[in-house]
Amino acid sequence: MPPRLRHTQKDSTEKALKGSILDHLAHSLGKTYEERAPRSLASSLALSLRDRLVDRMFETRARFRAAGAKRMYYLSIEYLLGRCIGNNVCNMRLDEHIDKILSDLGVGIDEMRELERDPALGNGGLGRLAACFLDSLATMHLPGHGYGIHYEYGLFKQVIEKGRQVEKPDYWMADGMPLQLERRDQAVLVPMYGRVEDHSFPDGSFMPTWVDWEDIVGVPYDVPIVGFGGQTVVLLRLFAAKASESFDMQIFDQGDYIKSIHQKVYSELVSKILYPSESISFGRELRLVQEYFLVFCSIRDITRRFLKQNRNIEDFPNYVAIQLNDTHPALSVAELMRVFVDERRLPWERAWELTNRTLAFTNHTLMPESLEMWPVELMQKVLPRHLQIIYEINRRFLQQVELNFPGDVGRLRRMSVIEETPVKQVRMANLAVVGSHSVNGVSALHSELVKTRLFPDYHDLWPKKFNNKTNGITPRRWLYKCNPSLASLITDALGEGWIADLDQLRGLEPLAGDPAFADAVAKIKRGNKELLAHYIVSTTGITVSPDAAFDIQAKRIHEYKRQLLNLMGIILQYLRIVEDGIVPPSPAVYVFAGKAAPGYFEAKEIIRLILAVGQTINRDKRVADLLKVVFAADYRVSVAEKLVPAADISEQISTAGTEASGTGNMKFSLNGALTVGTLDGANIEIRQAVGPENFYLFGLTTPEVEDLLSRGAYNPWDFHAAHPEIRRVLDALSAGRFTPLDPGAFHWLHDKLLSPNERYLHLADFMAYVRAKDDMFRDYADKRAWTAKSILNTARMGVFSSDRTIAQYARDIWNIHPVPPGAVL
């Protein structure tokens, strides 16, 4: 028997790294030293990092196995990783080595980073949260992995043409992704469509059998995620859809070349883009297939890993925890039951117990339109066996409800997994709640509203099932990497411990009154603003001054996030300057960033209005030194890394009771921006943490909003009559002041804001918002006092580390434990 070959780890000395980069340049890319170019060096660097990540991956896997560790698997339709090379260099503590090597090779680390594309695997906070969680899992040596879809094009690339958002394909894989590992040997065959037949056994029992199904192949790609310190590597496994056969040879031989590859084209659509349009029936079906593809591939892979350890299927929840990141993976309830009942032949009751103990569900929204439902007819077509299982789950569940609340027909109707009217649909949020042992919200307010507004009947039945896990952000990317100058200053003051223990930032509090430290912080902020100003002029042509207050609102464009409220305040400020001669206490640069969903008319029109207002203001010489408006197109993680360190003011102004949590608010506060915000989502907890005096609060509370809307008592005309400032802004919109060539362009918006059905209450909160902003700009004029507030914001953000969030999940929901190096002897 031949001797077993031992894996030899590559070292990470400067000499070894440089040799590795040059070796990959020659042998992986086929380039000579003289042919080196920044892009080929970037690929060689990525491959060299991957070599070392794989070494750590092997060691991590062996460590988890030796410990017999229970593992958590995070299922998410989105992962906004951001650029990976720089993040890996930081977490592996190779910054100085790489800077020196690249300098020797004639390129800079910043140039290298700019060559890397953002993986287009997500849209907003949902995907960025998932990425932060993976970073924390690895940093804390917790046994867990992520599962997602390997989108070819992701969401879309946002470009601005003729004053409007235009969606372009974002082929982020154009230059490849050297860090990922293709795993064709672990591909999964995914069945769908077909029909169900009942088969009887000799003992008289029946077993439904799924037959005549079609299949596609899920090919896994692994992205190594390294924790801070470089000791533990967890995996993000992404599945790409491929046809089970490339084309039909018989049809090809008959001369119909297009038809012969039809199945290949259709199959690969599944992982083509994130969130296909549901405006047509095919798009809706494709999205259901996409969510099922994620669930099937993930659970098949999880089950394979479990059984590979020769474990009894009855022990499944003792070794496996699965977290559903919102409703997109809710089909896991039915799929896990199908595996246990159909494939492992477990009795229904036992299968249900195992499923419930394994699954946990995070809700991310209070918006009714975001709670997914799938037509029964469509599910019958695509997933006939799963629909059967869902109906049986619902039948047994409603029996339980009837026993607990006899005769309460209304409660049965509300709690049913199936909505009966007007069209039969499967309520995916209900399915996730019924099938999970834990349901959590993502901020204190949101979790309370989940219990009282979203799922009150379920909370009555299972009060202990519901809990809160306030979101968090990784300080590695959102301070250590994206704001290196401030991170270095903090390290000089406190040591490096804060990077993996953000509570240590409390040590900065006494320094808020230290003139030398405050001057250093102010200098760093100005440097970050200079960098952002350079980015703005290079991408938009707009010149802005770093001496102005940088007021930034960066998030998905949506009516409830109220970019329009911000814009109304800017219009009023502009009118005060040019018509009233009122000079503000400080110049201001307003920056908006975010994408609108392609089919969301109002959101796209808000972008159009931002651009129109910006064009008018930026061309007006009367306000040239006082006011600028910028729209930073194609918002993504790498753009956020430029905006966040430069912000003086963070806009978190959603209507109270609409934002689940927010994590952008945490990123800006951690980097010293002061927040103007409502008592919504995590704003409440941020205000408590940083102190009310360091947070600019305005607006109605959630109970006040609910009272107005439930009684139908909101009359925007009352605010219009009472406040001339509101009339000025709305008149400017209605008269076409910012669209002189199309004066009626935004008359619809004027009418909507004055409609009693305008449920985001812009006019009710407007004057309070204006007063809060006036206070902010007066305070900003006192730079010393403002910097002290900024330092206190940074110092008091430790609780919002994703490390804290993950520690709570691990303890309260997943029951997993750290397995650090050296823990297994």
Side-chain angles (χ1 to χ4, degrees):
M1 188 172 181
R4 183 178 178 182
L5 296 177
R6 293 184 59 83
H7 173 70
T8 303
Q9 292 197 11
K10 297 181 182 296
D11 67 50
S12 295
T13 63
E14 182 181 320
K15 180 180 179 181
L17 278 166
K18 186 173 183 179
S20 180
I21 290 170
L22 294 177
D23 186 61
H24 277 297
L25 180 69
H27 299 112
S28 299
L29 304 182
K31 303 278 188 181
T32 65
Y33 182 80
E34 290 72 24
E35 292 176 305
R36 71 189 187 281
R39 192 169 298 282
S40 57
L41 286 173
S43 296
S44 299
L45 170 60
L47 290 168
S48 298
L49 293 175
R50 190 181 75 176
D51 290 343
R52 286 148 183 83
L53 290 171
V54 168
D55 289 340
R56 289 156 176 78
M57 178 188 73
F58 290 152
E59 189 279 327
T60 300
R61 184 170 64 190
R63 192 188 336 142
F64 290 169
R65 285 179 178 172
K70 180 179 181 180
R71 303 193 191 196
M72 186 283 302
Y73 302 99
Y74 199 77
L75 272 61
S76 180
I77 202 80
E78 295 186 34
Y79 287 92
L80 266 180
L81 297 175
R83 292 168 174 165
C84 297
I85 294 176
N87 197 65
N88 285 325
V89 168
C90 287
N91 276 7
M92 296 168 76
R93 312 306 308 276
L94 298 176
D95 315 53
E96 293 183 7
H97 286 343
I98 298 300
D99 282 347
K100 176 65 166 57
I101 292 167
L102 293 178
S103 177
D104 290 346
L105 294 173
V107 294
I109 186 65
D110 291 334
E111 180 184 7
M112 193 69 69
R113 286 170 175 163
E114 290 299 318
L115 289 171
E116 184 183 3
R117 292 173 179 256
D118 289 55
L121 301 171
N123 177 28
L126 183 81
R128 187 52 231 170
L129 179 75
C132 284
F133 279 2
L134 294 181
D135 176 275
S136 287
L137 283 168
T139 296
M140 300 168 74
H141 313 296
L142 285 163
H145 300 299
Y147 283 100
I149 296 178
H150 193 282
Y151 303 105
E152 187 175 344
Y153 287 97
L155 188 65
F156 61 83
K157 182 178 178 63
Q158 180 193 54
V159 297
I160 302 302
E161 294 181 359
K162 298 180 180 178
R164 297 175 185 267
Q165 170 183 293
V166 175
E167 301 88 31
K168 303 278 188 176
D170 186 4
Y171 187 38
W172 67 278
M173 283 291 295
D175 301 314
M177 187 184 184
L179 282 170
Q180 71 183 6
L181 298 160
E182 186 179 28
R183 299 288 200 181
R184 284 190 176 270
D185 60 310
Q186 295 178 13
V188 175
L189 199 65
V190 185
M192 61 187 71
Y193 300 102
R195 57 193 175 83
V196 178
E197 291 182 350
D198 284 334
H199 291 275
S200 59
F201 292 97
D203 63 0
S205 62
F206 287 89
M207 172 56 69
T209 304
W210 191 3
V211 299
D212 294 340
W213 37 263
E214 301 174 15
D215 57 57
I216 59 177
V217 176
V219 177
Y221 292 79
D222 289 344
V223 181
I225 308 294
V226 62
F228 184 72
Q231 295 178 308
T232 295
V233 170
V234 301
L235 293 179
L236 171 58
R237 175 157 284 195
L238 304 169
F239 286 92
K242 307 291 183 184
S244 55
E245 295 181 3
S246 296
F247 59 84
D248 190 313
M249 195 67 192
Q250 185 174 359
I251 296 176
F252 183 85
D253 288 340
Q254 293 171 357
D256 194 339
Y257 308 123
I258 302 300
K259 186 177 179 181
S260 69
I261 62 170
H262 170 79
Q263 181 61 33
K264 173 179 171 62
V265 172
Y266 176 77
S267 298
E268 295 183 359
L269 279 175
V270 173
S271 58
K272 191 68 70 176
I273 62 168
L274 172 65
Y275 300 143
S277 172
E278 297 184 45
S279 59
I280 57 174
S281 59
F282 176 73
R284 190 154 176 75
E285 180 176 331
L286 181 59
R287 177 145 178 198
L288 175 60
V289 169
Q290 192 177 67
E291 293 185 3
Y292 166 66
F293 176 77
L294 165 65
V295 164
F296 184 93
C297 291
S298 301
I299 288 181
R300 180 64 69 186
D301 197 63
I302 292 167
T303 307
R304 177 190 62 79
R305 290 174 184 268
F306 173 83
L307 294 174
K308 191 175 181 180
Q309 304 302 306
N310 297 315
R311 294 188 174 120
N312 189 320
I313 198 69
E314 299 262 356
D315 289 330
F316 198 79
N318 297 328
Y319 291 94
V320 173
I322 297 175
Q323 189 71 31
L324 310 179
N325 194 29
D326 217 3
T327 56
H328 311 107
L331 279 167
S332 297
V333 179
E335 174 58 18
L336 206 51
M337 283 297 291
R338 189 193 67 78
V339 170
F340 289 148
V341 173
D342 291 5
E343 297 184 7
R344 311 308 300 184
R345 296 293 192 260
L346 293 179
W348 180 279
E349 294 78 7
R350 182 61 176 151
W352 183 248
E353 179 193 351
L354 298 181
T355 296
N356 198 257
R357 286 172 55 200
T358 300
L359 298 176
F361 168 51
T362 300
N363 172 271
H364 282 278
T365 183
L366 295 166
M367 310 302 290
E369 63 269 23
S370 297
L371 295 177
E372 284 192 313
M373 292 195 288
W374 294 109
V376 166
E377 182 180 8
L378 177 60
M379 194 165 284
Q380 174 67 45
K381 174 186 176 183
V382 178
L383 302 170
R385 178 58 182 144
H386 294 77
L387 182 62
Q388 277 191 341
I389 291 171
I390 290 169
Y391 264 101
E392 182 61 14
I393 290 170
N394 194 46
R395 183 186 71 81
R396 293 174 182 243
F397 166 64
L398 292 182
Q399 286 180 346
Q400 181 183 358
V401 175
E402 175 63 27
L403 286 173
N404 284 271
F405 305 98
D408 193 338
V409 177
R411 188 183 295 264
L412 287 171
R413 187 180 301 114
R414 292 190 301 270
M415 296 181 76
S416 175
V417 176
I418 307 297
E419 181 175 280
E420 299 291 342
T421 58
V423 177
K424 285 194 174 190
Q425 298 193 87
V426 181
R427 297 164 166 164
M428 302 309 289
N430 290 24
L431 179 64
V433 173
V434 171
S436 300
H437 70 273
S438 168
V439 177
N440 72 278
V442 290
S443 71
L445 173 63
H446 173 241
S447 294
E448 186 61 28
L449 294 175
V450 165
K451 294 188 290 188
T452 60
R453 184 201 293 179
L454 205 59
F455 300 124
D457 298 313
Y458 289 99
H459 183 252
D460 289 345
L461 181 63
W462 297 311
K464 293 182 179 179
K465 180 180 283 196
F466 290 82
N467 61 92
N468 175 57
K469 297 290 175 284
T470 297
N471 284 343
I473 57 172
T474 167
R476 270 75 62 182
R477 183 178 286 270
W478 294 113
L479 180 50
Y480 179 67
K481 177 180 179 291
C482 79
N483 199 344
S485 297
L486 182 59
S488 179
L489 181 67
I490 293 170
T491 298
D492 289 344
L494 304 178
E496 289 190 331
W498 67 270
I499 303 171
D501 179 10
L502 203 60
D503 286 330
Q504 292 187 26
L505 289 183
R506 279 280 180 180
L508 296 176
E509 286 193 36
L511 297 175
D514 182 314
F517 188 81
D519 286 346
V521 169
K523 182 178 180 181
I524 288 167
K525 178 66 73 172
R526 195 184 193 284
N528 290 333
K529 291 165 72 173
E530 289 173 353
L531 292 173
L532 179 56
H534 175 74
Y535 175 78
I536 288 171
V537 74
S538 66
T539 54
T540 70
I542 300 169
T543 301
V544 300
S545 170
D547 294 318
F550 277 28
D551 185 317
I552 299 179
Q553 188 173 16
K555 53 184 74 251
R556 180 165 51 94
I557 309 295
H558 197 291
E559 289 170 281
Y560 87 82
K561 294 181 184 287
R562 297 204 295 195
Q563 285 90 355
L564 183 57
L565 186 68
N566 186 356
L567 194 59
M568 291 168 62
I570 295 169
I571 292 171
L572 179 61
Q573 187 176 359
Y574 172 67
L575 295 176
R576 283 173 170 177
I577 296 171
V578 299
E579 295 182 353
D580 304 338
I582 298 175
V583 178
S586 172
V589 173
Y590 290 92
V591 181
F592 293 86
K595 296 179 180 180
Y600 190 173
F601 170 79
E602 289 84 355
K604 294 180 78 169
E605 284 294 288
I606 288 170
I607 292 176
R608 183 185 174 201
L609 181 59
I610 292 169
L611 292 162
V613 170
Q615 186 176 58
T616 298
I617 290 174
N618 297 338
R619 289 178 174 178
D620 193 332
K621 294 181 180 179
R622 294 172 293 178
V623 296
D625 298 323
L626 299 174
L627 194 59
K628 289 289 176 70
V629 179
V630 176
F631 186 83
D634 203 31
Y635 184 54
R636 55 198 186 277
V637 174
S638 57
V639 174
E641 289 178 315
K642 295 176 174 65
L643 299 180
V644 166
D648 294 304
I649 296 171
S650 165
E651 299 271 353
Q652 308 297 332
I653 58 178
S654 53
T655 312
T658 59
E659 184 73 83
S661 171
T663 52
N665 47 8
M666 302 171 189
K667 293 160 193 163
F668 284 110
S669 288
L670 179 62
N671 284 269
L674 273 63
T675 303
V676 55
T678 54
L679 287 177
D680 195 29
N683 283 357
I684 297 171
E685 292 154 88
I686 291 175
R687 182 171 179 265
Q688 291 170 345
V690 304
E693 69 280 7
N694 300 313
F695 186 106
Y696 293 81
L697 178 67
F698 76 95
L700 299 172
T701 64
T702 298
E704 290 169 339
V705 169
E706 290 181 338
D707 179 63
L708 268 181
L709 294 178
S710 64
R711 293 189 296 110
Y714 176 52
N715 183 7
W717 285 100
D718 292 342
F719 299 97
H720 184 273
H723 300 290
E725 296 93 338
I726 290 177
R727 294 197 296 275
R728 290 180 79 179
V729 172
L730 293 190
D731 288 349
L733 286 175
S734 180
R737 177 159 189 158
F738 303 102
T739 52
L741 299 179
D742 187 7
F746 293 104
H747 193 78
W748 69 272
L749 187 55
H750 168 278
D751 293 345
K752 182 165 187 172
L753 289 169
L754 288 169
S755 167
N757 297 321
E758 198 278 294
R759 58 177 175 149
Y760 301 115
L761 310 184
H762 284 74
L763 300 193
D765 275 352
F766 181 67
M767 292 311 302
Y769 175 65
V770 169
R771 288 190 291 271
K773 291 298 289 292
D774 287 345
D775 289 343
M776 291 192 90
F777 284 114
R778 276 194 296 270
D779 289 351
Y780 182 78
D782 183 346
K783 296 298 174 60
R784 179 71 70 187
W786 183 272
T787 300
K789 287 174 176 281
S790 173
I791 293 169
L792 290 175
N793 262 257
T794 297
R796 295 170 177 174
M797 287 298 292
V799 71
F800 299 102
S801 169
S802 54
D803 297 350
R804 184 268 313 156
T805 312
I806 284 296
Q808 291 178 343
Y809 272 102
R811 181 192 66 221
D812 301 340
I813 298 177
W814 302 331
N815 190 29
I816 63 173
H817 306 282
V819 186
V824 183
L825 300 178

